[in-house]
Amino acid sequence: MVKPVTTWIVVADAARAKIVSNEGVGHGIADIAGGEFENEILRDREIYADRPGRTHDSATTGRHAMARPNDTKKQSAAAFAKSISDHLAARQNKKDFDRLVLIAEPSFLGHLRAALPKRTANVVTAEIPKDLTRAKNPELVKQLEPVLAV
């Protein structure tokens, strides 16, 4: 008997993600157990409760505030994408899926692409740059029609 080609579909943005599966033409999509992820996004004011430090200007006697060390939202999104990609790589090693479709909010899609190991990135068959994290499965099926026979 021929093993069906299993396609996992990752639907994500910087705050949440879910993975659904398709077992071939006519089977639709089904949620994956343990395939839901959430990212707690902290606001800058929650991280930097104090005012930024001040420093003397090197050329004059003026003083100015120091800049924040990084963009916390981008850093949080990159870390979330890394955790999703680590999960996908581990499940790929167990041969849980053969192909991968990424549906993500456009800026998060970039983080997800960057975080995927090469072996996992090689099985990505399609990308849809849309935020569909709140869409129900029937709506996802409609969005997948151009790239996957569901």
Side-chain angles (χ1 to χ4, degrees), residues 78-86 109-118:
F80 186 51
K82 176 79 170 107
S83 70
I84 294 168
S85 71
D86 289 347
L109 184 58
H111 289 294
L112 204 49
R113 270 192 219 117
L116 286 175
K118 188 173 184 171

Side-chain angles (χ1 to χ4, degrees), residues 51-70:
R51 289 179 36 171
R54 299 186 61 79
T55 185
H56 290 284
D57 195 359
S58 61
T60 65
T61 59
R63 287 175 44 110
H64 56 87
M66 296 171 61
R68 302 274 189 226
N70 54 36

Side-chain angles (χ1 to χ4, degrees), residues 24-87:
V25 179
H27 288 96
I29 60 175
D31 294 329
I32 297 288
E36 293 198 15
F37 306 87
E38 286 196 25
N39 183 21
E40 182 180 357
I41 300 176
L42 298 175
R43 293 189 166 102
D44 279 348
R45 69 175 180 246
E46 293 167 338
I47 296 170
Y48 301 112
D50 297 334
R51 289 179 36 171
R54 299 186 61 79
T55 185
H56 290 284
D57 195 359
S58 61
T60 65
T61 59
R63 287 175 44 110
H64 56 87
M66 296 171 61
R68 302 274 189 226
N70 54 36
D71 184 352
T72 55
K73 288 181 184 173
K74 285 183 183 175
Q75 189 176 21
S76 175
F80 186 51
K82 176 79 170 107
S83 70
I84 294 168
S85 71
D86 289 347
H87 177 78

Side-chain angles (χ1 to χ4, degrees), residues 83-137:
S83 70
I84 294 168
S85 71
D86 289 347
H87 177 78
L88 291 171
R91 297 296 294 265
Q92 184 182 22
N93 287 339
K94 294 179 181 178
K95 299 182 181 356
D96 288 341
F97 63 92
D98 304 301
R99 300 185 306 184
L100 194 59
V101 174
L102 303 177
I103 302 174
E105 184 271 325
S107 64
F108 188 71
L109 184 58
H111 289 294
L112 204 49
R113 270 192 219 117
L116 286 175
K118 188 173 184 171
R119 182 171 173 263
T120 306
N122 287 339
V123 298
V124 173
T125 58
E127 296 177 351
I128 300 174
K130 290 184 181 179
D131 185 1
L132 298 174
T133 54
R134 297 190 191 279
K136 303 290 184 214
N137 286 356

